[in-house]
Amino acid sequence: MMVAESPKLIRVLVVDDSSFMRLIVSDILQQDSQIIIVDTAKDGQEAYQKTLMLKPDVIVLDIVMQDYDGLYAVKKIMQEIPTPIIILSSEGNVHPEVVVEALNAGAVSFVNKPRGILQSKIREIEHLLIEKVKIAAQVPSTKLIHSLKSTNNHPHTFDSRTVYEIVVVGASTGGTGAVEHILLNLPNNFPLPILIAQHIPEKFVHSFAQRLDKLVSLHVKVANENEYLEAGIVYIAPCHANTEIKKNLPTEKLSITLTHEQFPQHNYPSIDCLMLSTATVCQHKAIGILLTGMGKDGAKGLVAMHQAGAFTIAQDEKTSIVFGMPKAAIEEGGVSQVLPLNEIAQFVVGCL
């Protein structure tokens, strides 16, 4: 009789400057039979040294630590021994731009650490943290290595007769870096508005937009209620509501509307909400892009866009940090083209 192989243990390094928090987080994670704590570290320097020595499968890392902080650890580890990192830090104790920078430097995900030292508080997020550790453990280190970024500042000659009115993009885990890569490689005279729904905590969305605005040749901003969409501007969907587009008569101009309607896969922002409204309003005059992310948010919306005649793109498995959302859209028949991340911007330009 064949004996089923037991699942491989996930070896985790826990990093926090609080010895109490290291103990609690370790205890939470080890409640799961698939997770083992290989060691703990008190700052970014020790985290880097122990990663070199122990080669953990996943690192759970606080950002705010004395001397060598979490951002130091993320950058140092990704340069020398790429390892999936989950940021576990209190939103109220860390500058949002630092977390956004850590995510762009290669950290896989962020979990908000409840404020306060009560054990019951930190245990509120135990199921989410365990789930994210398991997902991170499946990410190959090769996907964490960021290639050198180059910006396309050169104008492109576009066909003035293009039928397209808008590009909509959905992204989740690993998406901040993917979105940045695409925008860096779009020309500075891109002729359409771009509207992006990125799963990110509400407190970080403005820092995410501001960082992109400084890096790329296009103007990037957080979208506002009833704002008209202008060509060549990148709008980041706010994270306190779901975002839809509408067409204003008689001008036919597209604008933003916010809704608190709930969607099954994810909310604030819901990628399905954005893409379903795009399918209804723009039909064949839109391009939809679904990037890396866990779960199925965006699959239903991309299918609707595809059925309405829009051109739809999914990021391929090889370059996705997590292939959940693109895979779901592909399996449901909602994708016109599957592309690696480094080809998406050029392909979209070619469509115009």
Side-chain angles (χ1 to χ4, degrees):
M1 184 175 72
M2 294 184 65
V3 179
E5 279 189 33
S6 57
K8 179 177 176 286
L9 290 177
I10 300 169
R11 303 168 65 254
V12 177
L13 175 67
V14 175
V15 187
D16 199 296
D17 59 352
S18 162
S19 58
F20 175 78
M21 198 56 65
R22 294 196 297 271
L23 181 66
I24 294 300
V25 173
S26 298
D27 182 53
I28 285 172
L29 292 175
Q30 289 189 126
Q31 288 184 69
D32 192 285
S33 60
Q34 287 182 250
I35 297 173
I36 183 171
I37 305 302
V38 293
D39 209 340
T40 63
K42 66 181 182 300
D43 61 26
Q45 174 77 337
E46 191 175 15
Y48 162 66
Q49 292 169 343
K50 290 191 174 181
T51 300
L52 287 176
M53 181 172 57
L54 299 171
K55 298 180 173 58
D57 299 312
V58 178
I59 302 167
V60 176
L61 176 75
D62 190 14
I63 281 285
V64 182
M65 295 178 286
Q66 292 185 351
D67 299 326
Y68 296 93
D69 63 8
L71 184 57
Y72 168 89
V74 173
K75 291 181 175 180
K76 193 78 172 168
I77 289 166
M78 290 304 164
Q79 285 172 0
E80 300 193 28
I81 182 168
T83 306
I85 295 174
I86 294 169
I87 303 297
L88 176 62
S89 204
S90 298
E91 288 181 7
N93 291 341
V94 60
H95 293 296
E97 59 269 20
V98 176
V99 174
V100 172
E101 189 174 352
L103 291 170
N104 278 282
V108 171
S109 192
F110 171 86
V111 175
N112 181 37
K113 183 197 298 179
R115 300 191 71 174
I117 62 171
L118 292 177
Q119 184 171 336
S120 60
K121 286 287 186 183
I122 188 69
R123 289 191 179 276
E124 290 174 3
I125 51 93
E126 64 180 67
H127 296 298
L128 176 63
L129 183 59
I130 288 170
E131 178 190 23
K132 294 220 172 191
V133 165
K134 289 182 174 181
I135 290 169
Q138 299 173 35
V139 178
S141 60
T142 52
K143 292 187 177 183
L144 301 171
I145 302 170
H146 286 219
S147 58
L148 291 174
K149 298 180 177 71
S150 59
T151 304
N152 182 354
N153 287 310
H154 305 294
H156 180 83
T157 302
F158 290 98
D159 188 342
S160 60
R161 298 167 298 176
T162 182
V163 299
Y164 295 113
E165 297 178 312
I166 190 171
V167 176
V168 293
V169 181
S172 185
T173 310
T176 56
V179 165
E180 179 181 313
H181 184 93
I182 290 172
L183 296 183
L184 280 168
N185 287 281
L186 291 177
N188 60 9
N189 65 333
F190 193 77
L192 302 178
I194 301 170
L195 182 50
I196 299 170
Q198 166 71 55
H199 294 173
I200 194 170
E202 181 183 348
K203 290 187 178 181
F204 300 155
V205 68
H206 285 278
S207 294
F208 178 51
Q210 289 164 7
R211 173 185 166 82
L212 289 173
D213 191 51
K214 292 175 183 177
L215 285 175
V216 310
S217 60
L218 300 171
H219 178 43
V220 183
K221 67 185 299 294
V222 177
N224 295 310
E225 173 90 72
N226 297 322
E227 183 173 14
Y228 285 107
L229 300 180
E230 302 291 342
I233 297 181
V234 180
Y235 301 87
I236 307 297
C239 297
H240 64 277
N242 289 325
T243 300
E244 297 176 324
I245 61 169
K246 63 180 179 181
K247 186 167 284 187
N248 297 270
L249 300 176
T251 63
E252 297 286 302
K253 291 195 72 172
L254 298 175
S255 67
I256 295 289
T257 183
L258 301 181
T259 175
H260 291 284
E261 179 185 351
Q262 299 290 289
F263 291 78
Q265 298 299 331
H266 192 276
N267 289 286
Y268 305 167
S270 164
I271 301 169
D272 277 332
C273 178
L274 172 60
M275 291 188 169
L276 286 167
S277 72
T278 304
T280 300
V281 172
C282 298
Q283 300 180 346
H284 65 285
K285 296 181 179 181
I287 296 173
I289 305 171
L290 194 56
L291 300 174
T292 174
M294 65 180 180
K296 295 184 177 181
D297 191 22
K300 182 178 180 180
L302 203 69
V303 169
M305 288 185 66
H306 186 69
Q307 291 174 344
F311 195 92
T312 55
I313 297 169
Q315 186 177 351
D316 71 352
E317 182 174 9
K318 185 176 181 181
T319 61
S320 294
I321 296 294
V322 180
F323 192 50
M325 297 188 327
K327 181 182 179 183
I330 293 166
E331 289 178 344
E332 292 178 27
V335 177
S336 308
Q337 190 80 30
V338 180
L339 293 170
L341 178 62
N342 62 352
E343 293 182 15
I344 292 175
Q346 183 180 1
F347 190 92
V348 170
V349 169
C351 290
L352 307 178

